Short mmCIF file of all heavy atoms in Angstrom, two decimals:
data_model
loop_
_atom_site.label_atom_id
_atom_site.label_comp_id
_atom_site.label_asym_id
_atom_site.label_seq_id
_atom_site.Cartn_x
_atom_site.Cartn_y
_atom_site.Cartn_z
N GLU A 87 -10.66 -42.44 17.57
CA GLU A 87 -10.47 -43.42 18.64
C GLU A 87 -11.80 -44.08 19.01
O GLU A 87 -11.87 -45.29 19.19
CB GLU A 87 -9.85 -42.73 19.86
CG GLU A 87 -9.49 -43.69 20.97
CD GLU A 87 -8.82 -42.97 22.13
OE1 GLU A 87 -8.04 -42.03 21.88
OE2 GLU A 87 -9.10 -43.35 23.27
N ARG A 88 -12.85 -43.26 19.11
CA ARG A 88 -14.16 -43.83 19.43
C ARG A 88 -14.62 -44.78 18.34
O ARG A 88 -15.17 -45.84 18.64
CB ARG A 88 -15.17 -42.70 19.62
CG ARG A 88 -14.97 -41.96 20.93
CD ARG A 88 -15.87 -40.76 21.08
NE ARG A 88 -17.28 -41.11 21.00
CZ ARG A 88 -18.24 -40.22 20.89
NH1 ARG A 88 -17.94 -38.93 20.82
NH2 ARG A 88 -19.49 -40.58 20.83
N GLN A 89 -14.40 -44.38 17.08
CA GLN A 89 -14.81 -45.26 15.97
C GLN A 89 -14.04 -46.57 16.02
O GLN A 89 -14.62 -47.64 15.84
CB GLN A 89 -14.58 -44.56 14.63
CG GLN A 89 -15.02 -45.41 13.45
CD GLN A 89 -14.79 -44.68 12.13
OE1 GLN A 89 -14.33 -43.56 12.11
NE2 GLN A 89 -15.13 -45.34 11.05
N GLU A 90 -12.74 -46.50 16.30
CA GLU A 90 -11.95 -47.72 16.41
C GLU A 90 -12.44 -48.58 17.56
O GLU A 90 -12.53 -49.81 17.43
CB GLU A 90 -10.46 -47.38 16.61
CG GLU A 90 -9.79 -46.85 15.37
CD GLU A 90 -8.36 -46.37 15.63
OE1 GLU A 90 -7.83 -46.62 16.74
OE2 GLU A 90 -7.78 -45.75 14.73
N ASN A 91 -12.79 -47.93 18.68
CA ASN A 91 -13.32 -48.69 19.81
C ASN A 91 -14.64 -49.36 19.46
O ASN A 91 -14.87 -50.51 19.83
CB ASN A 91 -13.50 -47.79 21.04
CG ASN A 91 -12.19 -47.37 21.65
OD1 ASN A 91 -11.17 -48.02 21.46
ND2 ASN A 91 -12.20 -46.28 22.40
N ILE A 92 -15.50 -48.65 18.74
CA ILE A 92 -16.78 -49.23 18.33
C ILE A 92 -16.55 -50.40 17.39
O ILE A 92 -17.15 -51.47 17.55
CB ILE A 92 -17.68 -48.16 17.69
CG1 ILE A 92 -18.16 -47.17 18.75
CG2 ILE A 92 -18.87 -48.79 16.97
CD1 ILE A 92 -18.86 -45.94 18.20
N GLU A 93 -15.65 -50.20 16.42
CA GLU A 93 -15.35 -51.29 15.48
C GLU A 93 -14.74 -52.48 16.22
O GLU A 93 -15.09 -53.62 15.96
CB GLU A 93 -14.41 -50.80 14.38
CG GLU A 93 -15.05 -49.85 13.40
CD GLU A 93 -14.07 -49.23 12.43
OE1 GLU A 93 -12.85 -49.51 12.53
OE2 GLU A 93 -14.51 -48.45 11.58
N HIS A 94 -13.87 -52.20 17.17
CA HIS A 94 -13.23 -53.26 17.94
C HIS A 94 -14.27 -53.99 18.79
O HIS A 94 -14.26 -55.20 18.90
CB HIS A 94 -12.12 -52.67 18.80
CG HIS A 94 -11.33 -53.67 19.58
ND1 HIS A 94 -11.01 -54.90 19.10
CD2 HIS A 94 -10.80 -53.61 20.83
CE1 HIS A 94 -10.31 -55.57 20.00
NE2 HIS A 94 -10.18 -54.80 21.07
N SER A 95 -15.19 -53.23 19.42
CA SER A 95 -16.22 -53.85 20.24
C SER A 95 -17.14 -54.73 19.40
O SER A 95 -17.54 -55.80 19.84
CB SER A 95 -17.11 -52.86 20.94
OG SER A 95 -16.53 -51.68 21.25
N SER A 96 -17.49 -54.26 18.20
CA SER A 96 -18.40 -55.06 17.38
C SER A 96 -17.72 -56.33 16.91
O SER A 96 -18.38 -57.33 16.68
CB SER A 96 -18.92 -54.24 16.20
OG SER A 96 -17.87 -53.96 15.30
N GLN A 97 -16.42 -56.31 16.81
CA GLN A 97 -15.69 -57.52 16.41
C GLN A 97 -15.59 -58.49 17.58
O GLN A 97 -15.34 -59.66 17.39
CB GLN A 97 -14.29 -57.17 15.90
CG GLN A 97 -14.32 -56.41 14.60
CD GLN A 97 -12.94 -55.88 14.22
OE1 GLN A 97 -11.98 -56.03 14.97
NE2 GLN A 97 -12.85 -55.27 13.05
N GLN A 98 -15.80 -58.04 18.80
CA GLN A 98 -15.68 -58.89 19.98
C GLN A 98 -17.05 -59.37 20.46
O GLN A 98 -17.22 -59.74 21.60
CB GLN A 98 -14.99 -58.14 21.11
CG GLN A 98 -13.54 -57.85 20.83
CD GLN A 98 -12.88 -57.17 22.01
OE1 GLN A 98 -13.53 -56.67 22.92
NE2 GLN A 98 -11.56 -57.17 22.00
N GLY A 99 -18.05 -59.35 19.61
CA GLY A 99 -19.35 -59.89 19.97
C GLY A 99 -20.29 -58.91 20.64
O GLY A 99 -21.24 -59.32 21.27
N GLU A 100 -20.04 -57.63 20.55
CA GLU A 100 -20.96 -56.64 21.10
C GLU A 100 -22.26 -56.69 20.28
O GLU A 100 -22.29 -57.22 19.18
CB GLU A 100 -20.33 -55.24 21.01
CG GLU A 100 -19.21 -55.01 21.98
CD GLU A 100 -19.66 -54.95 23.43
OE1 GLU A 100 -20.69 -54.31 23.71
OE2 GLU A 100 -19.00 -55.56 24.27
N PRO A 101 -23.32 -56.12 20.80
CA PRO A 101 -24.60 -56.17 20.09
C PRO A 101 -24.51 -55.62 18.67
O PRO A 101 -23.96 -54.54 18.46
CB PRO A 101 -25.52 -55.29 20.95
CG PRO A 101 -24.88 -55.27 22.29
CD PRO A 101 -23.40 -55.43 22.05
N PRO A 102 -25.04 -56.34 17.70
CA PRO A 102 -24.98 -55.92 16.29
C PRO A 102 -26.12 -54.95 15.97
O PRO A 102 -27.18 -55.36 15.51
CB PRO A 102 -25.12 -57.23 15.53
CG PRO A 102 -25.91 -58.11 16.45
CD PRO A 102 -25.56 -57.69 17.85
N TYR A 103 -25.90 -53.67 16.22
CA TYR A 103 -26.97 -52.69 16.04
C TYR A 103 -27.36 -52.52 14.58
O TYR A 103 -28.52 -52.24 14.29
CB TYR A 103 -26.58 -51.36 16.67
CG TYR A 103 -26.46 -51.45 18.17
CD1 TYR A 103 -25.23 -51.36 18.80
CD2 TYR A 103 -27.58 -51.67 18.95
CE1 TYR A 103 -25.13 -51.47 20.18
CE2 TYR A 103 -27.49 -51.78 20.33
CZ TYR A 103 -26.26 -51.69 20.94
OH TYR A 103 -26.16 -51.80 22.29
N SER A 104 -26.43 -52.68 13.68
CA SER A 104 -26.81 -52.54 12.26
C SER A 104 -27.77 -53.64 11.86
O SER A 104 -28.71 -53.42 11.09
CB SER A 104 -25.57 -52.53 11.37
OG SER A 104 -24.84 -53.73 11.52
N ASP A 105 -27.57 -54.87 12.41
CA ASP A 105 -28.52 -55.96 12.14
C ASP A 105 -29.89 -55.62 12.73
O ASP A 105 -30.93 -55.87 12.11
CB ASP A 105 -28.02 -57.28 12.73
CG ASP A 105 -26.78 -57.80 12.00
OD1 ASP A 105 -26.54 -57.36 10.85
OD2 ASP A 105 -26.05 -58.63 12.58
N ALA A 106 -29.89 -55.03 13.93
CA ALA A 106 -31.15 -54.67 14.58
C ALA A 106 -31.89 -53.63 13.75
O ALA A 106 -33.12 -53.72 13.58
CB ALA A 106 -30.88 -54.14 15.98
#
Side-chain angles (χ1 to χ4, degrees):
E87 186 177 323
R88 286 174 59 191
Q89 182 179 359
E90 287 173 10
N91 289 339
I92 290 170
E93 289 172 358
H94 184 36
S95 330
S96 67
Q97 293 171 356
Q98 292 183 345
E100 288 291 317
Y103 294 110
S104 59
D105 292 341

